[in-house]
Amino acid sequence: QKYDELSKYIAKVSASNLIKETTEEQERRIKRLLKPENYVEFFDFYFGINSGQDFADAPSSWFHQKSYEEIFANPKIIQQRRWFRGAAKSIHTNVGNTAHLKENKELRFGVLLGRTEDLAKKLLSNLQVQLDNNEKYIKDFGEQKSYGNWADGVFETSDGTYFKGIGLNQPIRGLNHNGRRPDFASMDDLEDRKAAKNIELTKENVRKLTGDLGKAGQRGRFRRIMPNNLIVKNGIIEGFAEKYKKSTNFNISTINLCDNDFNPVWHDRYSRDECIEIVNDDDYHTSQREDFN
């Protein structure tokens, strides 16, 4: 029911936010937006502050742009996004980055990996609800609906791009769709402080991510992104980083809420006074986990 309501909302507000332009103007605009150096403009136009939707309350930031250019440039990148809570990790990774790669023919089989199957399906729903109902996106890139349903953990778009949601507690080996293997994976918010106390379980989860998933990708192109701030020692994030520390494709992007003087990193969204309030409203250890990795 919530998904249906959200679908109607996105369809309505995006339809009312369409712009008038000639076919030539539209083609030039699309060509410009699909350049990697214009990623945040692409995101803000379809999904963010300029989309008509109320999910975004500020323009995207420099670190959204920089991290995306890094993953666009390297089709084998393995990037950890250790961004503070509130840095729009999931929406950029699972919707913005995914859509931009897809329309640049850089993504054909995307996997969204969540801590559980239900959470994975929720991640998938955030993507499908936009692709199926965003009239600004549909106007520029065509009708996206083909078959499948996020509730079943899988859907395919009209251009043949295939998406699958998988829980970390589900089998990962042997991912395949019509002879294709995954060429993009988002490992979203997998860390759990309680589970991290179980050393053997943590090791097993790291093995699944580096072995089962790592070896399941398309040859020559398999971008893997892990959006998760560093909330615990000796957990999945550090174990994953340890496994790939010698890889030339491994990259860690660390973004904290603010610097030591409370100056915000995402200055378009947060003021210095807000940063002071956010930090002081939490106990020290919570703030260190969620705001400062």
Side-chain angles (χ1 to χ4, degrees), residues 185-237:
S186 169
M187 301 164 278
D188 194 325
D189 217 11
L190 299 181
E191 197 74 275
D192 181 273
R193 291 175 63 210
K194 186 176 181 181
K197 295 177 181 178
N198 186 328
I199 297 173
E200 287 306 314
L201 176 62
T202 298
K203 288 181 178 178
E204 176 60 27
N205 285 334
V206 171
R207 279 194 294 268
K208 289 182 75 173
L209 295 172
T210 58
D212 295 5
L213 180 65
K215 297 298 184 183
Q218 182 74 31
R219 182 177 174 222
R221 186 176 75 194
F222 188 27
R223 294 175 172 91
R224 284 172 281 166
I225 316 300
M226 181 179 279
N228 204 136
N229 52 321
L230 187 62
I231 61 172
V232 65
K233 283 293 208 179
N234 303 316
I236 290 173
I237 300 171

Side-chain angles (χ1 to χ4, degrees), residues 222-275:
F222 188 27
R223 294 175 172 91
R224 284 172 281 166
I225 316 300
M226 181 179 279
N228 204 136
N229 52 321
L230 187 62
I231 61 172
V232 65
K233 283 293 208 179
N234 303 316
I236 290 173
I237 300 171
E238 289 193 328
F240 187 88
E242 178 65 23
K243 288 284 187 180
Y244 285 114
K245 66 181 181 181
K246 294 181 180 179
S247 171
T248 56
N249 294 312
F250 184 58
N251 170 273
I252 298 176
S253 170
T254 302
I255 301 295
N256 295 325
L257 173 67
C258 57
D259 63 19
N260 291 336
D261 294 321
F262 297 101
N263 298 305
V265 173
W266 189 353
H267 55 81
D268 281 326
R269 189 176 194 213
Y270 297 93
S271 66
R272 184 173 182 274
D273 287 342
E274 281 180 296
C275 289

Side-chain angles (χ1 to χ4, degrees), residues 12 17 56 61 68 76 110 133 136-137 218 236 246-247 268 283:
K12 180 180 179 181
N17 199 248
S61 186
Y68 180 72
K76 296 181 181 179
N133 302 284
K136 292 183 78 173
Y137 193 90
Q218 182 74 31
I236 290 173
K246 294 181 180 179
S247 171
D268 281 326
D283 66 90

